């Protein structure tokens, strides 16, 4: 193309470029490809459009000519014919039906070229099959086609030098000025050799001559143009250098090459020396720089530097807050862009810079209330000159991105190193920034945005323990003191109310529950999780939310345990513990997989989901709590159902531990936490509560587990009491058959429990038909009823149970096939629910009682 | 605030009631003399200021003797306004009043309760127009404000009969009807209205679930009036509060204090002991949100088996019930049943109890307790004997031997198998007949 335009006379092109500076203005200096140029164009007349189509195709053909790609040339030629037929109406209208010269020129050139190639037999032989085929068909087509223009072509050949400028030059210049300029520079540097080789073609050589003369004329002609060009040239050179650099990018020798030296030398070239720096100019420059964003050849590092430089210039000229913010936003996004891969981590120095920029920007935003900033403000709507300012941009996304980067940074660090701690200190700044944004958004009062920023804040808040909460609960702090629980309450409630996407609400609920559980607000946490009905739907949500759910359940379990709700604790934790993949479920590390290796992709994805170390939940504590809860439930149950055929396992994991220890021929003193719990379970089985308690609560276990609780003494006290109670139950289950009666006083003494508690426990057992006994009030004894079945009897009972099941399932089958024929009263329903062999007993009594 | 005042639910209930209904509660409290007379009167005034019961207000001002001339004058002015309003509305609705006082219409309304028939009749014989219905609604409202509840209920009855449930005022009218029936203490009709209203609320979707929850909460509170006054109320309250999940949820989330009434209702209802288990579960679940002697009594008795605690709570219950508007009527029943519950649980656990201890646990004198137990034994509700020499009650509950257990299980088994077999046979027979007929 450049060669083509170059044929145009100098004066013409110059003046036109002088006359029409406006349409050129938005075109950025960094234009590399033609497509880019096209998108920049605004409104064009039909003629311009058609001509341009033609031009583009012609240009393509020329390029193909250079590389002798016949097949592409053929297709382009076909395109050209089509474009020309489309353009005919316009041509008829505008030029009275005279074929434009540039079109003719192309045809002529093409003809020459083809005949030349055709003549060159040697070359033709060497051509690929595809190419030679295309060549012959192209030749035929062209010959046929040219017949239509025979006259014109003949005329053209007579004097090819009469320039065709009058038709096409003005418009082409206006359109493509920049593009042609820059590519011209390229030609200057590198292309001369190739053009030389084409010299024997008449049209070409002339153009080359023109081109060269024009460039020289150019330089002499126009000051500003020269200036710009120089700059561009330098950039081009830089680009070239950069290209080289990019090849050995990873090693980073470019750090050494660049550095501070290049910067000052560039500075004066940002704007012409005498130009008046005002807002439109700066914005234009900014747009130019930003437009290169995301391109392959853009040096991201340089972009950042350029933007910084621009900012200093803007600062020097006091262009106002809005411009400042606008540039800062651009800097922030270019820093974000610095890493080409999303999964990679930012460099610390850029991270620091980023933090600074963002907080600066926010401070500015906060200080000037008359700024509107938003995604909805279009580029055209922007108002940077005077208040009320309007700027396009979104602080919220910036902060969200920042937060993500921060977490990535943390994950990359070794959690046991100093570096991690250092990084973690930045948390405060990030939280600060989030607070600022929150304040800023609260001013604007857009509920969806507020929801998002609140959730960000929640995510920084929910896992942190605030001792003030517990102090306040005990009344040590006044109720007016705002603790993190109150803040969470406020934020979460807002989200519950205003959120429209379900995801935010789900996450808010889970975080809220987590926070409550962390601060021992057991009832609130329980009610919230029950009311949310999340348990049913959680497996359909995204993995991060599921992870959060798992974390929440873990803490809920711990909280229940602290509140002595052993059953709830067990239920919360059982799902996590059963699989043996707690680590993965809580996203606290990857386990090696046995069956199949992870693919790289998968591993990457999973790594991204991991929690940063400071948010981890102590797995040993979790497991210990789970095992102890399982022990407290399972051991009495085992004792009560020793001969029961239908005994189920309550906790599989606990069973495994127990059995593996039983399998050992020689059991040493307990070392690990698990061994302690197993040994304690064995002691409890024999009703030896003192040993059991010693094994659960001792120095080793304290250090490993219990001291991790906030009020560990309270937990230990609770645990001791529960161990006693459950041991008592186990004892009664196991040894009741050797007693005829036991005095409750003795029991109380044996287990060091208060008598009312013993009474209450035994009463409960009697009422629930677990213990076949009754109390004798005057003597304060428990009188056992001999109802333990003999071996034969228990077998018979088991048999009836099985027969019973059989009948049940028969009925069920019949039901499903035929619909319900059985009128099942409450009685029969109860049969199924209670599997205890004493059921009958109980029911008869109830019937009698009422 | 003294202890008994703390246990009062009136303040918790009031936000969910109509002003006129609140007045009845306040009257009761006033008569009960728990709060000072003056504070009560002031509270009443506060409530009355939202109504048009001007004469009543005047009375109170007089008894407070603080009514300055201004106030009195204002009141009389307002009274005139109200009277004028009343007269205006009467004038406006004169045709309606005529229609309603027509005997024919009356009989049709009473006997057929058929909207179509009634409209036909009205269209033919009177100058009835649909536009009048708005007037009916307005008139009813004014009359209600002035305390003429009987009149209101006739108007609203008429309205409900004619208008389809899709009418925009339908819900309001239902509420108004219920309120006026409660206030004229027409419990049968009130119960009917209550059910109608409940169905309406359950079947219609309101704007948001929050609104629905609110409606239900209101209904729960209003229904207390009906349930504790209607003879069938004691069963119905359990059915509605405990076994309708929506209402149980509403109680748990909005008004856990209702658990008191539910608990009391279950305790006095001897035939619904099965509900106890469910109730105790709910009470335990909500124990952090609401607690009072009645629920704690149940918790002590059925969760901790702490008879001493239960006894204490029973004692406290006395006071609570005495000062509760809804429960005051069933005090004796409550105490009797609570005692029985303690005793039953006792018997299930013990095989031998000394009467002295029992009497203490039951809040009775030993003699009375003995008498009570004798009565129980005589009515064959208890398999026990009294050892009068030692003062013991000895339970006669021999444990079931495994043999008996076995027999009992097998017993039903054979029966069930029999029915199953019979059913299958019948099916087969039917099948054969069919195939015989068609094939």
């Amino acid at each position: 193309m450049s060669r083509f335009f170059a044929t145009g006379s100098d004066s013409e092109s110059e003046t036109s470029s002088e006359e029409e500076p406006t349409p050129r203005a938005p075109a950025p200096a960094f234009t590399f490809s033609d497509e880019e140029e096209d998108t920049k164009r605004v409104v064009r007349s039909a003629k311009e459009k058609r001509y341009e189509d033609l031009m583009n195709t012609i240009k393509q053909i020329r390029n193909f000519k250079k590389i002798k790609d016949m097949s592409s040339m053929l297709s382009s030629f076909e395109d050209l014919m089509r474009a020309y037929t489309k353009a005919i109406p316009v041509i008829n209208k505008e030029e009275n039906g005279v074929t434009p010269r540039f079109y003719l020129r192309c045809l002529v050139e093409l003809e020459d070229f083809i005949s030349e190639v055709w003549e060159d037999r040697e070359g033709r032989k060497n051509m690929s099959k595809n190419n030679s085929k295309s060549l012959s068909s192209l030749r035929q087509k062209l010959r046929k086609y040219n017949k239509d223009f025979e006259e014109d072509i003949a005329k053209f050949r007579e004097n090819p030098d009469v320039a065709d400028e009058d038709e096409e030059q003005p418009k082409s210049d206006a359109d493509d000025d920049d593009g042609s300029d820059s590519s011209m520079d390229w030609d200057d540097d590198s292309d001369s050799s190739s053009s030389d080789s084409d010299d024997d073609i008449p049209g070409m050589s002339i153009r080359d001559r023109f081109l060269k003369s024009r460039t020289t004329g150019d330089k002499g002609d126009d000051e500003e143009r020269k200036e710009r060009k120089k700059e561009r040239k330098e950039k081009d050179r830089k680009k070239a250098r950069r290209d080289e650099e990019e090849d050995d990018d990873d090693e980073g020798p470019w750090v050494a090459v660049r550095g501070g030296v290049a910067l000052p030398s560039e500075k004066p070239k940002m704007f012409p020396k005498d130009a008046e720096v005002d807002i439109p100019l700066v914005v234009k420059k900014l747009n130019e720089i930003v437009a290169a964003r995301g391109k392959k050849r853009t040096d991201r590092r340089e972009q950042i530097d350029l933007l910084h430089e621009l900012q200093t210039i803007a600062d020097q000229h006091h262009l106002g807050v809005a411009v400042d913010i606008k540039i800062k936003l651009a800097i922030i996004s270019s820093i974000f862009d610095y890493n080409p891969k999303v999964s990679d981590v930012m460099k610390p120095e850029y991270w620091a810079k980023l933090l600074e920029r963002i907080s600066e920007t926010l401070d500015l935003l906060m200080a000037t209330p008359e700024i509107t900033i938003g995604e909805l403000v279009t580029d055209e709507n922007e108002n940077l000159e005077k208040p009320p300012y309007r700027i396009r941009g979104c602080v919220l996304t910036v902060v969200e991105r920042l937060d993500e980067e921060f977490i990535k940074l943390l994950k990359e660090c070794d959690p046991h190193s100093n570096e991690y701690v250092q990084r973690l200190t930045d948390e405060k700044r990030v939280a600060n920034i989030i607070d600022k944004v929150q304040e800023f958004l609260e001013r604007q009062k857009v509920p969806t945005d507020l929801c998002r920023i609140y959730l960000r804040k929640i995510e920084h808040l929910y896992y942190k323990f605030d001792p003030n909460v517990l102090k306040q609960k005990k009344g040590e702090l006044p109720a007016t003191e705002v603790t993190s629980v109150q803040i969470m309450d406020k934020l979460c409630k807002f989200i519950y109310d205003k959120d429209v996407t379900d995801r935010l609400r789900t996450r808010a609920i889970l975080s809220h529950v987590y926070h409550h559980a962390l601060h021992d607000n057991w009832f609130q946490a329980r009610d919230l999780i029950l009311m949310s009905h999340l348990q049913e739907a959680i497996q359909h949500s995204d993995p991060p939310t599921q992870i959060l759910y798992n974390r929440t359940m873990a803490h809920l379990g711990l909280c229940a345990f602290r509140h002595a709700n052993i059953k709830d604790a067990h239920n919360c934790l059982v799902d996590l513990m059963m699989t043996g993949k707690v680590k993965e479920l809580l996203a606290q590390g990857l386990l090696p997989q046995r069956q199949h290796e992870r693919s790289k992709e998968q591993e990457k994805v999973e790594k991204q989901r991991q929690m940063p170390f400071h948010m981890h939940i102590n797995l040993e504590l979790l497991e210990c709590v789970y095992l102890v809860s399982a022990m407290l439930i399972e051991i009495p149950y085992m004792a009560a159902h020793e001969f029961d055929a239908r005994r189920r396992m309550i906790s599989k994991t606990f069973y495994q531990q127990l059995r593996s220890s039983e399998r050992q021929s020689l059991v040493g003193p307990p070392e690990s936490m698990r061994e302690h719990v197993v040994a304690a379970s064995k002691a409890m089985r024999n009703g030896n509560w003192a040993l059991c308690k010693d094994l659960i609560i001792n120095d080793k276990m304290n250090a490993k587990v219990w001291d991790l609780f906030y009020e560990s003494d309270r937990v230990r006290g609770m645990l001791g009491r529960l161990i006693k109670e459950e041991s008592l139950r186990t004892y009664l289950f196991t040894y009741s058959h050797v007693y005829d009666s036991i005095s409750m006083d003795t029991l109380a003494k044996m287990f060091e429990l208060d008598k009312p508690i013993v009474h209450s426990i035994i009463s409960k057992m009697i009422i629930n038909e677990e213990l076949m006994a009754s109390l004798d009030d005057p003597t304060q004894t428990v009188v056992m009823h001999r109802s333990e079945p003999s071996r034969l009897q228990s077998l018979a009972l088991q048999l009836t149970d099985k027969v019973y099941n059989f009948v049940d399932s028969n009925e069920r089958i019949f039901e499903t096939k035929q619909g319900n024929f059985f009128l099942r009263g409450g009685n029969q329903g109860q049969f199924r629910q209670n599997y205890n062999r004493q059921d009958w007993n109980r029911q008869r009594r109830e019937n009698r009682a009422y | 605030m003294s202890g008994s005042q703390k246990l009062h639910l009136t303040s918790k209930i009031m936000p969910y009631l109509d002003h006129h209904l609140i007045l009845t509660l306040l009257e009761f409290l006033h008569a009960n003399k728990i709060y000072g007379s003056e504070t009560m009167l002031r509270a009443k005034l506060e409530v009355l200021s939202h109504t048009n019961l001007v004469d009543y207000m005047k009375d109170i001002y007089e008894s407070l003797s603080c009514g300055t001339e201004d106030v009195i004058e204002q009141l009389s002015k307002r009274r005139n306004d109200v009277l004028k309003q009343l007269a205006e509305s009467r004038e406006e609705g004169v045709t309606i009043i005529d229609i309603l006082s027509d005997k024919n219409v009356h009989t049709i309304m009473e006997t057929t309760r058929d909207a179509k028939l009634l409209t036909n009749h009205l269209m033919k014989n009177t100058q009835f127009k649909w536009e009048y219905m708005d007037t009916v609604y307005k008139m009813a409202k004014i009359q209600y404000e002035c305390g003429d509840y009987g009149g209101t209920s006739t108007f609203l009855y008429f309205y409900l009969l004619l208008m389809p449930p899709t009418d925009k005022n339908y819900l309001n009218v239902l509420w108004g009807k219920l309120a006026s029936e409660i206030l004229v203490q027409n419990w049968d009709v009130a119960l009917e209205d209550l059910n109608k209203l409940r169905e309406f609320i359950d079947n219609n979707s309101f704007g948001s679930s929050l609104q629905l929850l609110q409606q239900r909460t209101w209904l729960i509170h209003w229904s207390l009036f009906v349930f504790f006054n209607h003879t069938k109320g004691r069963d119905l309250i359990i059915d509605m509060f405990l076994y309708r999940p929506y209402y149980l949820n509403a109680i748990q989330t909005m008004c856990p204090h209702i658990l008191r009434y539910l608990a009391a209702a279950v305790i006095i209802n001897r035939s619904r002991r099965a509900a106890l288990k469910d109730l105790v579960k709910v009470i335990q679940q909500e124990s952090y949100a609401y607690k009072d002697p009645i629920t704690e009594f149940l918790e002590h008795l059925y969760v901790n088996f702490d008879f001493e605690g239960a006894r204490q709570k029973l004692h406290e219950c006395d006071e609570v019930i005495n000062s509760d508007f809804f429960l005051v009527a069933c005090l004796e029943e409550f105490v009797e049943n609570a005692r029985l519950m303690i005793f039953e649980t006792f018997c299930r656990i013990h095989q031998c109890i000394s009467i002295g201890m029992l009497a203490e646990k039951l809040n009775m004198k030993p003699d009375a307790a003995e008498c009570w137990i004798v009565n129980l034994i005589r009515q064959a509700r208890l398999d026990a004997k009294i050892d009068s020499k030692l003062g013991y009650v000895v339970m006669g509950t021999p444990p079931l031997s495994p043999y008996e257990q076995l027999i009992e299980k097998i017993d039903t088994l054979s029966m069930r198998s029999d029915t199953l077999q019979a059913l299958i046979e019948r099916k087969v027979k039917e099948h054969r007949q069919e195939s015989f007929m068609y094939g």
Side-chain angles (χ1 to χ4, degrees), chain B residues 61-80:
Chain B
Y61 271 120
E62 271 159 28
S63 60
L64 265 176
S65 66
C66 71
T68 53
E69 302 232 331
D70 284 7
V71 176
I72 299 292
E73 202 172 306
Q74 247 177 12
L75 277 180
S76 46
K77 204 169 144 203
R78 194 163 153 202
R79 187 190 143 91
N80 288 339

Side-chain angles (χ1 to χ4, degrees), chain A residues 526-527 760 775 777 808, chain B residues 285 288 304 349 351 357 416:
Chain A
R526 182 200 63 184
D527 282 4
S760 160
L775 297 179
D777 185 55
D808 254 8
Chain B
Q285 224 174 47
Y288 77 100
N304 303 327
I349 295 174
Q351 66 166 4
M357 199 221 11
R416 280 170 68 185

